Amino acid sequence: MYEGAVQDLIDELGRLPGVGPKSAQRIAFHLLQSDAVDVQRLTDALTQVKAKVRFCVICHNIAESEQCRICADPRRDLTSICVVEEPKDVVAIERTREFRGRYHVLGGAISPIDGIGPDDLTFRELMTRLASGEVTEIIIATDPNLEGEATASYLARFLKGMGIKITRLASGLPVGGDLEYADEVTLGRAFEGRRLLDA
Amino acid sequence: MPLYRDQGIVLRTHKLGEADRIITVLTRSLGKVRTVGKGVRRTKSRFGARLEPGMLVDLQCYEGRNLDTVTQAETLESWGDVCARDYDAWTAANAVLETCDRLTEEREPALQQYLLVTGAMRSLAGKEHDPNLVLDAYLLRALAVAGWAPSFHDCAKCGAEGPHRAFHIVSGGAVCSVCRPPGSSAPAPETLRLLAALLAGDWMIADSSDVRHRREGSGLTTAFLQWHLERGVRSLRMVER
């Protein structure tokens, strides 16, 4: 146990995800030994992230103005929307450079056991976006786990009859892995989603 | 017993750290155990997909001080994966798994609860019956195994032979006109017959029942469950009845 400010800092750091009491203590002492300028930079970054960052009014991704940079970009394809669970997923898909449309961030996945239902996510906002009629394809990119799969099946049912093409990201074998180590569910999905090879 | 192996059904999972999960499993012989699946959230995990809710697995773990750690998992049945493709079956499956989690204690063998939950998941994945009927049948039987068997024919208070018109949750089910406490409900006789059929596993009667009676039966079952568990089952709110 330390006194005053040091213990307060350790306690606050210890509340961060993945930071235990030992790590919190190590970070606190690192900050104590750092230059005042470095610590000030960290303080400013923490203050600004809360002051500046908000959610995009269109896609609910994190943004520094009313619209995120993707929604504000006129070069993006307006006819396709990729639906993801979290803002982190937008970054992961953007890294692929395969998708040029826009996104819609649901804010999580349907998880009845955790009390998260469709009303807690941004399904209604997605419907509002689709009302304009310019979207022709919805790509469901929820996590490849059961909650993500259930959210995708709900979304497919929700959008049924709107005349929009609904697709789901393929699930299957990871690149660089050995087939013999694949589990039955993944291998089964890889078979389901097999594609025709052009000779 | 530092290393053990058992069959079990995954009841629920919680995220832990960067890529791990805490996995609650109801095993056949050891009862409910809480284990850590290391790295299972990574896309290259060898057994991440096997340790999802509703999956029946052959599990090998080693005992830890607080939580055990999964070392191997083989899929026996992927009921969870099948249910996740059908929203109604998925919400019902979640309610089944959550109720099972609430009715069982850690490290206390619960073979009957295990057989019930695996039976319910098999039925939901196999689309044998309406998911709501499977859920109600599971809830009634799970409560019966836990010692709270409702009575749908004889009077729950004096044992007088039925059928009776009144139903009182606090008293334990159908009540005769003499024992009927104030505030008892009067469900349709067909509803009580449906609930009795679900408890007994008479699927001929259950499958041919009317939607109106199914809905009334679901309401009574949910109220009966929540009275005994004292706290609501969150997943039940998402089940479309």
Side-chain angles (χ1 to χ4, degrees):
Chain A
M1 280 292 175
Y2 299 92
E3 286 191 11
V6 176
Q7 188 58 45
D8 289 347
L9 180 61
I10 292 171
D11 291 345
E12 288 305 315
L13 290 168
R15 288 168 59 186
L16 297 173
V19 180
K22 276 280 178 198
S23 302
Q25 185 179 299
R26 201 165 57 243
I27 297 167
F29 276 95
H30 171 78
L31 291 172
L32 265 179
Q33 288 161 2
S34 301
D35 285 347
V37 180
D38 292 338
V39 176
Q40 188 56 50
R41 213 169 34 240
L42 177 66
T43 314
D44 291 345
L46 287 173
T47 314
Q48 284 186 15
V49 81
K50 282 309 280 182
K52 281 188 179 174
V53 175
R54 56 181 118 164
F55 291 103
C56 171
V57 290
I58 298 175
C59 72
H60 297 268
N61 190 9
I62 47 172
E64 286 201 11
S65 56
E66 203 163 83
Q67 289 183 15
C68 68
R69 65 176 174 80
I70 295 170
C71 289
D73 185 349
R75 291 168 299 175
R76 303 293 296 214
D77 179 10
L78 298 176
T79 61
S80 61
I81 291 179
C82 181
V83 180
V84 295
E85 290 181 17
E86 304 283 351
K88 289 180 285 187
D89 303 329
V90 172
V91 178
I93 295 173
E94 282 296 284
R95 276 204 304 262
T96 67
R97 297 168 188 265
E98 289 282 335
F99 179 65
R100 297 301 304 157
R102 289 185 178 183
Y103 294 90
H104 187 85
V105 181
L106 290 174
I110 296 173
S111 176
I113 215 157
D114 296 316
I116 302 169
D119 293 341
D120 302 307
L121 307 174
T122 60
F123 286 111
R124 277 202 206 104
E125 290 81 351
L126 177 62
M127 282 298 273
T128 312
R129 291 182 70 181
L130 300 179
S132 67
E134 61 186 357
V135 177
T136 55
E137 184 178 7
I138 293 281
I139 302 163
I140 306 174
T142 47
D143 285 348
N145 55 30
L146 297 193
E147 285 172 2
E149 197 63 42
T151 307
S153 62
Y154 177 83
L155 195 54
R157 199 174 72 165
F158 189 69
L159 300 173
K160 201 175 171 185
M162 291 186 72
I164 298 172
K165 185 178 166 190
I166 303 162
T167 55
R168 170 95 170 105
L169 283 196
S171 286
L173 300 167
V175 176
D178 282 8
L179 194 77
E180 62 172 310
Y181 290 117
D183 64 87
E184 302 77 11
V185 179
T186 308
L187 201 49
R189 293 226 186 133
F191 261 99
E192 268 178 41
R194 67 188 185 277
R195 63 190 166 85
L196 199 65
L197 283 178
D198 291 329
Chain B
M1 193 174 60
L3 200 68
Y4 63 87
R5 187 177 164 184
D6 205 346
Q7 285 184 12
I9 184 161
V10 180
L11 299 181
R12 68 179 304 174
T13 61
H14 296 92
K15 286 181 182 175
L16 177 72
E18 200 171 304
D20 307 340
R21 270 205 184 107
I22 294 175
I23 297 144
T24 307
V25 187
L26 180 67
T27 61
R28 192 180 174 95
S29 43
L30 292 168
K32 191 166 75 178
V33 290
R34 274 159 52 87
T35 62
V36 176
K38 296 219 162 136
V40 292
R41 281 157 59 202
R42 293 204 172 95
T43 48
K44 281 197 181 180
S45 165
R46 279 186 297 116
F47 45 66
R50 294 171 179 151
L51 298 173
E52 294 264 25
M55 306 296 251
L56 186 73
V57 284
D58 185 348
L59 205 65
Q60 183 172 288
C61 303
Y62 71 80
E63 276 187 36
R65 253 185 299 177
N66 298 317
L67 295 165
D68 304 343
T69 305
V70 180
T71 54
Q72 278 181 44
E74 292 293 328
T75 309
L76 299 174
E77 296 285 351
S78 51
W79 295 319
D81 184 48
V82 178
C83 289
R85 295 159 192 231
D86 174 354
Y87 187 70
D88 293 334
W90 169 249
T91 48
N94 269 267
V96 165
L97 297 172
E98 187 184 349
T99 307
C100 183
D101 188 21
R102 296 278 296 279
L103 289 173
T104 49
E105 295 293 330
E106 273 185 53
R107 298 276 172 186
E108 281 186 19
L111 181 62
Q112 280 186 294
Q113 290 287 2
Y114 173 83
L115 294 174
L116 267 180
V117 74
T118 51
M121 289 302 296
R122 183 181 295 115
S123 182
L124 284 170
K127 300 187 194 313
E128 292 168 12
H129 311 282
D130 176 354
N132 281 330
L133 286 179
V134 176
L135 171 61
D136 287 338
Y138 168 77
L139 295 178
L140 292 170
R141 290 183 214 177
L143 282 168
V145 168
W148 296 308
S151 170
F152 297 116
H153 189 261
D154 298 342
C155 175
K157 285 186 113 176
C158 68
E161 201 176 321
H164 304 292
R165 283 300 313 273
F167 190 87
H168 193 245
I169 287 162
V170 182
S171 303
V175 278
C176 65
S177 52
V178 179
C179 299
R180 178 182 180 152
S184 301
S185 58
E190 292 87 347
T191 303
L192 292 182
R193 209 160 34 242
L194 165 65
L195 291 175
L198 289 174
L199 183 61
D202 189 341
W203 287 101
M204 286 274 278
I205 293 177
D207 285 334
S208 59
S209 60
D210 193 79
V211 178
R212 191 160 43 100
H213 302 129
R214 289 183 188 186
R215 202 168 293 142
E216 190 176 34
S218 293
L220 290 177
T221 307
T222 305
F224 199 80
L225 175 80
Q226 298 200 344
W227 166 260
H228 286 292
L229 291 185
E230 294 175 356
R231 200 157 51 96
V233 173
R234 288 205 280 195
S235 306
L236 279 174
R237 283 196 299 122
M238 314 288 168
V239 180
E240 289 172 8
R241 302 221 192 210

